[in-house]
Amino acid sequence: MNNPATTPVVLITGALTGIGRATAVAFAREGAHLVVSGRHDDAGQKLAIELRELGAQAEFVKADVRNDDEVRNLVDQTVARFGRLDIAVNNAGTEGQPGPITEQTADKFAATFDTNVLGVLLSLKHQLRVMQPQGKGSIVNISSAFGKIGAPGASVYAASKHAVEGLTKSAALESVSFGVRVNAVAPGPIQTGMLDRFAGGEEVKSYLANGLPMKRLGEANEIANAIIFVASDTGSYITGQSISVDGGRTAL
Ligand SMILES: NC(=O)c1ccc[n+]([C@@H]2O[C@H](COP(=O)([O-])OP(=O)(O)OC[C@H]3O[C@@H](n4cnc5c(N)ncnc54)[C@H](OP(=O)(O)O)[C@@H]3O)[C@@H](O)[C@H]2O)c1
């Protein structure tokens, strides 16, 4: 990836922790140019420095994915800095407030859907605005195994990730004639802050791991590897797909 004409320009939302951060580090090690985004200035600037120390050209742009103007600015800043946008990873997400359906409220629903669904829609909107005229680009939305199966106790989160799957297929079909690919990567339980908050302790994490065919939780870098594969030209014939990276969970 070291030829400037072919070095990919990669944008990642929610990049300051977990899967987003691991993906940024993995792309930096491949020599990509990076724009990492999130809601916290200090952590964002620190990550950009860390990525530059790995040899990448990297910038942080603050953006809350629920805000149309901030997402527009994020994409415009990327193009202003690097001249184009080749790969976008729409990773920002929230577990919301899990619990039985009988305890859900309109506010809890909106708090989850605004980030996980509206955030992906706004990201796609502004990324495709740039990629379609370029005639080239690749977008990976981060879904979930819960975007393919039911999740008792996490219904709103599961519904939001089912919506991400629908957005992914629709965006792929709208973009294929422009030479732009849109896919999803759907992780199973991965050792990140989100899983810690979701599980609330080691006992539930062990229970989740033992329910998987592979009998272990995934690591963020295992998701990053799949994202890089499907986003890059190595995945050139893949569009509108959702790649499960879940220790076999959705094969059950
Ligand atoms: N870990 C798992 O088991 C698992 C499984 C399946 C799918 N996923 C998905 O993987 C993605 C990454 O999650 P993770 O596991 O890496 O957890 P994480 O460490 O909590 O990462 C989520 C990131 O999204 C950011 N974010 C949340 N709301 C945002 C908003 N409105 N605007 C911009 N950034 C926002 C968070 O930053 P703040 O500090 O600003 O909130 C955080 O950096 C999510 O889409 C998640 O649903 C995770």
Side-chain angles (χ1 to χ4, degrees), residues 188-192 195 212 216-223 245 247:
I190 308 301
Q191 309 235 43
T192 67
L195 186 68
L212 297 167
R216 69 170 177 87
L217 302 173
E219 301 288 341
N221 71 302
E222 295 181 289
I223 305 304
V245 188

Side-chain angles (χ1 to χ4, degrees), residues 149 210-213 215 246-252:
I149 57 177
N210 285 327
L212 297 167
K215 304 288 182 204
D246 62 4
R249 175 64 184 86
T250 46
L252 284 170

Side-chain angles (χ1 to χ4, degrees), residues 128-145:
L128 291 175
R129 168 171 64 78
V130 168
M131 287 179 174
Q132 289 181 349
Q134 280 179 175
K136 189 174 189 299
S138 175
I139 299 175
V140 178
N141 298 323
I142 305 309
S143 176
S144 169

